[in-house]
């Protein structure tokens, strides 16, 4: 508003930069204008002028640049207007000199304000602060069996699963064991701000194998055989009480058939392999004493006589004539290879009166039955020696002429037991 002391004048402007009415000047466009006040009377015209500067309104221009930024990253915004001040509407992003730094995921408004004497002008731009990718945490079992599957999950959506090698394969979080070993399962999430990966180590366990049982398929009652298996760490068991097994040692309990099992267990389950074992009986032969001869049943594969628990050299037939006093027993082996033991039979001091000599008269063979073997001496009636034989129970007179002879009997220690007249007669 302009005023002039003179009254009745007329206001005018020199150009359209400003307009004036009643002394009120309105700026139209930036620049300068000359405002005039003209007074007219009968004496002439008088004009007063004043130069007016029309200042422009502030101009904030237009903000240019990207509309998105990642958390922790920066973008640069520009504006053609100079001298302005940058600001953000919240703490999602911060701006300094046009450089915008993402702080946290969300939306922020970046402003550019220009101020002059005519006021303030502001330009704005909406900026999206994008989050960094997060792969989360893989959850689920750390073990899978060959040929089986497990399911892994991750709270982060939109990721891609993969495995580091061919030990396992993964599709949509479903892991299938391929071969025994270890594999690393990866979960990768990608967005405009980059790539994030998390991983989990998976053990692929082999299916259990029970291998093969090796060893004998027969055992005697009371004896032991050793079974082995190519796989370690398994457990042995028997199906019934015919045999018992401990650590691969099978002991025969009673004659029959038993199934021996070897079971291997791991995280993937259990598997067993079996062996059929025949348990054979062991004989206990009964010794029969007939005169001075000990007998056992025939039909065994082997015999061994013992005196007082000591094997008698060469005494390997089913019969034996004791030569000493003491306890005699017999060890036999049957057709199954099982060893049996007889109860001992005690041979005591023999009684001379128990000696039997027969037949007498005889045609050829004279038998001497006693509780032990003897030594025989045959002489003529005049004392001439004809035969002397040790450790026998019979005497052959077939090569001698008919007649009477003297038979003297000694024990094996040289003690004289009896003298008997023997008569040989022809048929």
């Amino acid at each position: 508003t302009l005023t002039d002391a003179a009254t009745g004048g007329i206001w005018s402007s020199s150009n359209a930069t400003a307009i004036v009415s009643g002394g009120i000047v309105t700026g139209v466009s930036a620049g300068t204008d000359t405002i005039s006040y003209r007074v007219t009377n009968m004496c002439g015209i008088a004009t007063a002028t004043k130069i007016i500067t029309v200042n422009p309104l502030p101009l904030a221009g237009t903000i240019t640049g990207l509309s998105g930024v990642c958390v922790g990253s920066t973008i640069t915004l520009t504006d053609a207007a100079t001298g302005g001040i940058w600001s953000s509407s919240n703490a999602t992003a911060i701006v300094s000199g046009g450089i915008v730094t993402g702080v946290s995921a969300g939306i922020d408004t970046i402003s550019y304000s220009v101020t002059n004497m005519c006021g303030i002008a502001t330009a704005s731009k909406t900026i999206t602060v994008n989050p960094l990718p997060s792969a989360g945490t893989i959850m689920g079992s750390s073990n899978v069996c060959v040929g089986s599957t497990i399911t892994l999950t991750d709270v982060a959506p939109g990721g891609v699963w993969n495995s580091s090698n061919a030990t396992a394969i993964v599709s949509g979080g479903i892991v299938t064991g391929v071969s025994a070993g270890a594999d690393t399962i990866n979960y990768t999430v990608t967005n405009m701000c980059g790539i994030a990966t998390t991983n989990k180590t998976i053990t692929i366990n082999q299916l259990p194998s029970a291998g093969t049982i090796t060893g004998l398929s027969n055992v005697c009652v009371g004896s032991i055989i050793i079974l082995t298996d190519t796989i370690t760490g398994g457990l042995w068991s028997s199906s019934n009480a015919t045999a018992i097994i401990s650590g691969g040692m099978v002991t025969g309990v009673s004659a029959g058939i038993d199934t021996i099992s070897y079971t291997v267990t791991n995280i993937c389950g259990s598997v067993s392999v079996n062996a059929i074992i025949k348990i054979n009986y062991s004989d206990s032969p009964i010794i029969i004493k007939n005169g001075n001869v000990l007998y056992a049943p025939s039909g065994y594969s082997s015999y061994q006589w013992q005196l007082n628990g000591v094997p008698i050299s060469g005494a390997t037939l089913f019969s034996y004539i004791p030569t000493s006093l003491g306890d005699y027993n017999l060890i036999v082996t049957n057709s199954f290879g099982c060893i049996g033991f007889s109860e001992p039979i005690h041979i005591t001091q023999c009684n001379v009166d128990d000696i039997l000599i027969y037949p007498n008269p005889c045609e050829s063979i004279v038998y001497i039955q006693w509780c032990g073997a003897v030594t025989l001496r045959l002489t003529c009636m005049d004392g001439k020696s004809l035969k002397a034989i040790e450790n026998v129970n019979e005497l052959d007179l077939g090569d001698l002429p008919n007649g009477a002879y003297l038979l003297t009997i000694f024990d094996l220690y040289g003690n004289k037991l009896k003298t008997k007249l023997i008569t040989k007669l022809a048929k």
Side-chain angles (χ1 to χ4, degrees):
T1 298
L2 300 178
T3 60
D4 193 288
T7 61
I10 298 173
W11 296 92
S12 65
S13 62
S14 63
N15 56 56
T17 303
I19 58 175
V20 61
S21 175
I24 299 173
V25 179
T26 301
V28 175
S29 60
T32 59
D33 204 336
T34 300
I35 303 301
S36 300
Y37 186 71
R38 186 179 63 187
V39 178
T40 302
N41 63 15
M42 62 184 294
C43 293
I45 298 172
T47 300
T49 62
K50 185 177 179 69
I51 297 174
I52 298 296
T53 300
V54 181
N55 296 296
L57 294 172
L59 181 63
T62 301
I63 300 174
T64 58
L66 296 175
S67 297
V69 65
C70 297
V71 171
S73 296
T74 61
I75 57 173
T76 300
L77 302 180
T78 59
D79 194 293
T82 60
I85 296 175
W86 294 93
S87 65
S88 62
S89 62
N90 55 57
T92 306
I94 57 175
V95 61
S96 176
I99 299 174
V100 179
T101 301
V103 175
S104 59
I107 302 296
D108 207 333
T109 300
I110 302 300
S111 298
Y112 185 72
S113 298
V114 176
T115 302
N116 66 12
M117 61 183 299
C118 295
I120 300 174
T122 300
S124 299
K125 185 177 180 67
T126 299
I127 298 295
T128 299
V129 182
N130 298 293
L132 295 174
S134 172
T137 301
I138 298 175
M139 294 177 291
S141 176
S142 298
N143 290 274
V144 65
C145 299
V146 172
S148 296
T149 62
I150 57 173
T151 299
L152 302 180
T153 59
D154 195 292
V155 294
V160 176
W161 296 91
N162 64 77
S163 62
S164 61
N165 57 56
T167 308
I169 56 176
V170 59
S171 176
I174 299 174
V175 180
T176 301
V178 176
S179 59
D183 206 333
T184 300
I185 304 300
N186 302 305
Y187 185 70
T188 301
V189 176
T190 302
N191 68 9
M192 63 183 298
C193 293
I195 299 173
T197 299
T198 186
N199 55 63
K200 184 178 182 70
T201 298
I202 300 294
T203 299
I204 299 89
N205 298 288
Q206 184 61 270
L207 297 174
S209 170
T212 303
I213 297 175
T214 56
L216 297 175
S217 58
N218 290 272
V219 63
C220 299
V221 172
S223 296
I224 294 175
I225 59 173
I226 303 296
L227 300 181
T228 59
D229 195 282
T230 53
I231 304 299
T232 60
L235 295 177
W236 294 94
S237 63
S238 61
S239 62
N240 56 59
T242 309
I244 56 176
I245 184 165
S246 176
M249 293 189 299
V250 180
T251 302
V253 175
S254 59
I257 301 294
D258 208 333
T259 300
I260 303 300
S261 300
Y262 185 72
T263 303
V264 176
T265 302
N266 67 10
I267 193 173
C268 296
S270 297
V271 65
S272 297
V273 64
N274 299 323
I276 304 299
I277 301 297
K278 183 177 182 182
I279 299 90
N280 301 302
Y281 65 87
S282 299
D283 288 329
S284 298
I286 299 175
I287 299 174
I288 299 174
K289 184 175 183 296
N290 185 5
N292 65 331
V293 182
L294 302 180
Y295 294 92
S298 61
Y300 290 105
S301 300
S302 68
Y303 300 83
Q304 177 61 64
W305 291 90
Q306 291 186 321
L307 173 60
N308 298 325
V310 178
I312 302 171
S313 177
T316 57
L317 301 177
F318 73 94
S319 64
Y320 181 71
I321 300 173
T323 59
S324 304
L325 305 180
D327 292 320
Y328 288 84
N329 70 290
L330 180 62
I331 302 174
V332 297
T333 303
N334 64 19
S335 59
F336 302 115
C338 298
I339 298 173
F341 299 85
S342 72
E343 292 293 329
I345 185 169
H346 186 64
I347 302 300
T348 61
Q349 180 66 45
C350 300
N351 191 329
V352 174
D353 295 334
D354 294 334
I355 297 175
L356 297 178
I357 302 171
Y358 63 93
N360 189 19
C362 69
E363 295 178 0
S364 177
I365 303 296
V366 175
Y367 295 96
I368 297 86
Q369 180 175 307
W370 197 47
C371 63
V374 294
T375 295
L376 302 177
R377 182 177 299 168
L378 186 68
T379 65
C380 296
M381 296 300 293
D382 61 3
K384 180 181 178 181
S385 179
L386 296 174
K387 294 186 177 186
I389 307 175
E390 296 181 351
N391 197 23
V392 295
N393 289 96
E394 62 183 46
L395 182 64
D396 188 358
L397 277 62
D399 59 342
L400 298 176
N402 294 338
Y405 300 93
L406 290 176
L407 179 61
T408 303
I409 301 171
F410 302 85
D411 65 19
L412 296 182
Y413 301 101
N415 300 312
K416 182 178 178 180
L417 302 176
K418 180 181 286 190
T419 299
K420 183 73 173 179
L421 179 66
I422 301 297
T423 302
K424 178 186 178 187
L425 298 177
K427 293 182 179 179

